[in-house]
Amino acid sequence: MIPPQEASARRREIEDKLKQEEETLSFIRDSLEKSDQLTKNMVSILSSFESRLMKLENSIIPVHKQTENLQRLQENVEKTLSCLDHVISYYHVASDTEKIIREGPTGRLEEYLGSMAKIQKAVEYFQDNSPDSPELNKVKLLFERGKESLESEFRSLMTRHSKVVSPVLILDLISGEDELEVQEEVPLEHLPEGVLQDVIRISRWLVEYGRNQDFMNVYYQIRSSQLDRSIKGLKEHFRKSSSSSGVPYSPAIPNKRKDTPTKKPIKRPGTIRKAQNLLKQYSQHGLDGKKGGSNLIPLEGHEHDFRVKHLSEALNDKHGPLAGRDDTLDVETDAYIHCVSAFVRLAQSEYQLLMDVIPEHHQKKTFDSLIQDALDGLMLEGENIVSAARKAIIRHDFSAVLTVFPILRHLKQTKPEFDQVLQGTAANTKNKLPGLITSMETVGAKALEDFADNIKNDPDKEYNMPKDGTVHELTSNAILFLQQLLDFQETAGAMLASQETSSAATSYSSEFSKRLLSTYICKVLGNLQLNLLSKSKVYEDPALSAIFLHNNYNYILKALEKSELIQLVAVTQKTAERSYREHIEQQIQTYQRSWLKVTDYIAEKNLPVFQPGVKLRDKERQMIKERFKGFNDGLEELCKIQKAWAIPDMEQRDKIRQAQKNIVRETYGAFLHRYGSVPFTKNPEKYIKYRVEQVGDMIDRLFDTSA
């Protein structure tokens, strides 16, 4: 059982807690009552506010709608007024712009194009809204007048400011082609920058708004004329320069440096001056052959004079194989070659200009038309060269082919650039250069073949044969001609290959062409050798005939050895050099046989046999006298005759003299030793006229008219 004290305490504790809970419950009830009262008050306020809002909305919405309608009406009025102003402005365009259009665009293109834009808009408005109004006709007429003024201004700007490119500038432009160093590109200002911009703006307006393409015809006609005149001016520059100074000059590009421009000679691509230079070398250095760069054998004395005469005839005789080669032809050739290069450079420059002015889809056609006159002029001149070459070949004037060579080589070298420039032009335009190249190759091959035939068939004219047995002009002409081919090996080989139809011609073009050229040179040399053999028969004296052949063979061999001709010949004929040496030696031996009639008199086999100390019989004395007399007469006769003969090559001349001197001196020395002291006559000085040394001196004076 719980003790009474604890139970009493527990009860008091419970009663205290109960009292506290009752107090808390009473507080909660009071709070709830207050909250309910506040809620009722708030609901009453919100209800009142809602009622007032409803009243306000019902009052404001009609006012707002009315204001919005008023604003819309105001905007419509403003738009209507703006449209009226805009429409009215179209009716004033004609009067506002008429003065500007009448005065033209010169000097105020920007303002003029602005006026044309206004007129264009007026035309479009009236066409859409009032097609029957008189205002439409008025602005249309004004627009057409303005367009015509723009077309006229375009023509005027192009005409006044398109200038012919000076020859000096063209030469500077193309002079960098042969330079090893990379040079700055020479700028070409066809039109001043400000004028160019005006021309571009007018062309774009005419295309976009004027619906006009006539200005493109105006453009190409004006630029075509300038291009053609520029190239013709360059050609005339060459003619004038050559007539005054002999060489055309081109100043250095003035824009590259501040100092005074100096003059530099133009490089002459492919110019042929070998024949003239060789003639000069013969004239200046013929006595010793130590100076100058001639590939030919130096000439001496009377032979020098004779060869200069022949070379002069070879260069100037209208019927000779090298007829007609003169400075005029060289100038014409150089001028044409430079004009071809000039056309490429100027055409490239013209296309750059054209790209800025002409619409893209019209550029190729306009460019094609623009270059036609200049291109046709070049092609016509080229065909004239071909035609002249054909006529010259008929006359056996083979110098004409020497003009074709450098031109053809340059055309082939320039063809890739030509093709690039003409890309996109008509097929007829593209085919002009290949057609000219084919014509030149054909006529060149014809000239080469006819030259070879002419060498073979050159007649044996007795009056045309050198009296002293020196080198024949046919030989010098043939060698000079062949040496020209050294500078044009690829071109000449291609000429010959162009006439071949074999597959090798296309499969191995370079090697095949080289072999063809080698075969051709061997053919010319073979024909020359046959003709020389035939010509040698004109001489009645076999010894002179041998000297003639010796001189010509030696001349040919030395010319081959001192140039690249020998390498070309060796491509198809390995033994050519040995063969010529054998021919030369054979002719020396033939010549030496001419002395047998002298040495046979004193040869031991033909001498009388007698015992020393025994008195000679009359028959023996007479025989010895005859031997001395025969030797003396023969020696004098041969020395007199052969002194007038010529052996231009000093080495060969000394060799032949020495060999003959050794033979004669040895034979005569033995004869003199044996019979000089024999009493075969009372007047020994009558028969023993020469000492051994004197005989040697007489032979040393052979082949020398000055002795």
Side-chain angles (χ1 to χ4, degrees), residues 21 64 171 246 260 271 305 307 314 340 374 398 402 427 460 484 566 578 580 611:
E21 292 293 335
H64 174 72
L171 290 173
T260 303
T271 303
D305 297 333
R307 288 293 301 117
V340 170
F398 298 103
L402 302 182
D460 304 327
Q484 307 306 310
I566 193 66
R578 185 181 67 189
Y580 272 110
Q611 295 297 326

Side-chain angles (χ1 to χ4, degrees), residues 102-145:
R102 184 176 64 252
E103 293 176 353
T106 303
R108 51 175 181 178
L109 181 62
E110 190 72 28
E111 181 184 6
Y112 194 88
L113 291 179
S115 297
M116 289 299 293
K118 293 179 181 178
I119 297 171
Q120 173 73 13
K121 290 179 180 178
V123 170
E124 293 172 355
Y125 171 79
F126 288 121
Q127 284 178 336
D128 293 339
N129 299 281
S130 184
D132 297 329
S133 65
E135 285 77 8
L136 175 59
N137 293 332
K138 196 172 184 180
V139 291
K140 269 188 174 181
L141 288 174
L142 198 59
F143 182 81
E144 290 300 322
R145 186 190 304 171

Side-chain angles (χ1 to χ4, degrees), residues 35 61 184 197 205 315 334 410 441 658 691:
S35 177
I61 286 177
E184 299 178 17
Q197 294 305 318
W205 188 93
L315 293 170
D334 286 352
H410 188 69
E441 284 186 331
Q658 188 62 43
R691 298 189 308 275

Side-chain angles (χ1 to χ4, degrees), residues 639-683:
C639 287
K640 179 180 179 182
I641 294 173
Q642 294 184 8
K643 184 172 69 171
W645 297 354
I647 299 180
D649 189 328
M650 181 185 297
E651 181 183 348
Q652 286 291 313
R653 183 168 64 243
D654 292 343
K655 174 184 174 182
I656 292 173
R657 283 173 176 171
Q658 188 62 43
Q660 197 59 54
K661 184 167 64 173
N662 291 341
I663 295 172
V664 176
R665 286 178 60 179
E666 181 181 352
T667 306
Y668 182 64
F671 177 76
L672 195 60
H673 176 74
R674 186 169 183 176
Y675 296 101
S677 58
V678 174
F680 65 90
T681 179
K682 294 179 180 180
N683 301 307

Side-chain angles (χ1 to χ4, degrees), residues 229-263:
R229 289 169 60 194
S230 297
I231 294 176
K232 288 178 178 177
L234 176 62
K235 185 176 181 181
E236 188 63 27
H237 173 74
F238 267 84
R239 290 175 176 169
K240 290 181 178 178
S241 298
S242 64
S243 62
S244 60
S245 61
V247 179
Y249 289 98
S250 167
I253 303 169
N255 294 335
K256 285 189 175 183
R257 55 183 67 86
K258 295 181 180 179
D259 55 348
T260 303
T262 57
K263 290 189 175 182

Side-chain angles (χ1 to χ4, degrees), residues 410-432:
H410 188 69
L411 289 179
K412 284 188 168 184
Q413 291 173 345
T414 314
K415 186 176 182 298
E417 291 182 281
F418 245 100
D419 293 342
Q420 185 177 4
V421 169
L422 301 182
Q423 186 178 3
T425 57
N428 181 51
T429 303
K430 294 178 181 177
N431 292 333
K432 288 180 179 179

Side-chain angles (χ1 to χ4, degrees), residues 436-464:
L436 179 59
I437 289 175
T438 300
S439 296
M440 287 193 170
E441 284 186 331
T442 301
V443 76
K446 172 67 174 171
L448 290 175
E449 291 302 322
D450 281 14
F451 179 79
D453 293 340
N454 188 70
I455 293 296
K456 180 179 180 180
N457 300 319
D458 186 69
D460 304 327
K461 299 177 181 177
E462 185 174 352
Y463 66 85
N464 201 33

